[in-house]
Amino acid sequence: LEDLPVVAAEFASARHQLGTLGSGNHFMEVQQGSDGHVWLMVHSGSRNLGYQVANVYNKLAMRMAERGGTRSLPAKWQLDYLPLDSEDGQRYLREMHYCVAFARANRREMMAVMQEIVAGLSGNANFGGAIDVAHNYAAMERHFDREVCVHRKGAIRAGLGEAGIIPGSQGSSSYIVRGLGKSDAFSSCSHGAGRVMGRKEAQRQLDLDEELRKLKRLNVVHGMRSRKDLDEAPGAYKDISQVMANQKDLVEIEVELQPLAVVKG
């Protein structure tokens, strides 16, 4: 870890977060697939480790932009950059890739627990292979005959024939998809439905009883109990079916998944 200073500083606390869900839109879900199988899905990431790495290097990029006068966009947008060929830029890439691997290990730990629970309850469960995708990272790829750094924030890679996951909200469908490798989209597609309103706005505007009725009609087991939980209510998100229709040139749907039980972070 000597060449990963932020990871090294956070390593002790990060070890205790491995296998934990986190808050916000992170979830564990049991789903009924259109293929006749029951699916288990985990949405979580690199926890505080990833946040700290992003925060440190974002501040570094902001200081460099201020000193060098290279900022061309408002500072509040947080779109300053580190040159790829710089020592700081290369160090950030190494730390970011570590966080991507940490997130994968984190999901794997939680999935193992979910499988253990299901196997214990069913007494006879056979599990297929896992699909694991990241939706917040940067990668060096070749597009339009050039080597470029593709940033995917709230997006996943959807290369030709590549498997992907597009989750909805806790009251809507999720999808297992196959990428179509659309070059104009840098072989990418959306990560999920996307929000139609912010967290605080959802807590103020959504009707708790109506959101609870939506989940009850779907027979979804959930943990939404009070107005503070409305930030992750179905009404806070876009219509996932419309989102999928809008990106039919980016992916094809292989399996549609209906929620059965949801654990939110």
Side-chain angles (χ1 to χ4, degrees), residues 179-185 188 244-252:
L180 297 178
K182 182 73 170 180
S183 60
D184 288 348
S188 304
M244 297 306 298
N246 290 343
Q247 59 179 345
K248 62 183 179 182
D249 59 333
L250 306 182
V251 293
E252 60 182 1

Side-chain angles (χ1 to χ4, degrees), residues 77-93:
W77 290 6
Q78 297 190 15
L79 288 174
D80 294 314
Y81 62 89
L82 298 170
L84 275 176
D85 58 359
S86 70
E87 184 177 338
D88 290 324
Q90 287 299 309
R91 185 178 294 113
Y92 168 67
L93 285 177

Side-chain angles (χ1 to χ4, degrees), residues 7 10 12-13 30-31 35 79 154 165 207 216 221 223 230 233 245-246:
V7 169
E10 298 293 329
S13 59
V30 181
Q31 304 158 328
D35 59 352
L79 288 174
I165 305 170
D207 184 285
K216 186 176 181 179
V221 179
L230 286 172
N246 290 343

Side-chain angles (χ1 to χ4, degrees), residues 16-180:
H16 295 288
Q17 292 187 323
L18 189 65
T20 62
L21 189 58
S23 59
N25 64 351
H26 293 167
F27 65 82
M28 304 169 77
E29 190 163 293
V30 181
Q31 304 158 328
Q32 177 64 60
S34 59
D35 59 352
H37 291 94
V38 172
W39 289 68
L40 307 178
M41 185 179 289
V42 174
H43 175 206
S44 187
S46 54
R47 306 293 283 107
N48 188 56
L49 179 65
Y51 170 79
Q52 293 298 337
V53 167
N55 192 45
V56 166
Y57 286 96
N58 185 49
K59 288 181 177 178
L60 176 60
M62 293 178 74
R63 289 196 299 270
M64 289 180 63
E66 289 165 1
R67 289 198 304 265
T70 58
R71 178 176 294 135
S72 58
L73 296 169
K76 66 179 180 180
W77 290 6
Q78 297 190 15
L79 288 174
D80 294 314
Y81 62 89
L82 298 170
L84 275 176
D85 58 359
S86 70
E87 184 177 338
D88 290 324
Q90 287 299 309
R91 185 178 294 113
Y92 168 67
L93 285 177
R94 289 192 293 272
E95 299 225 58
M96 180 203 65
H97 289 314
Y98 186 99
C99 292
V100 171
F102 183 93
R104 187 181 304 114
N106 187 37
R107 291 188 291 270
R108 187 166 58 238
E109 289 291 318
M110 285 183 282
M111 182 58 73
V113 173
M114 288 185 74
Q115 290 178 329
E116 183 179 347
I117 292 171
V118 170
L121 291 172
S122 68
N124 184 28
N126 294 311
F127 299 101
I131 301 171
D132 190 284
V133 298
H135 66 267
N136 187 5
Y137 67 103
M140 299 303 299
E141 298 176 0
R142 192 161 188 83
H143 295 275
F144 302 104
D145 296 322
R146 292 181 59 189
E147 192 76 11
V148 295
C149 186
V150 179
H151 297 253
R152 293 189 175 92
K153 172 67 174 175
I156 64 170
R157 181 173 169 83
L160 183 61
E162 194 168 354
I165 305 170
I166 302 179
S169 71
Q170 61 182 321
S172 66
S173 301
S174 295
Y175 297 89
I176 304 300
V177 299
R178 192 69 60 177
L180 297 178

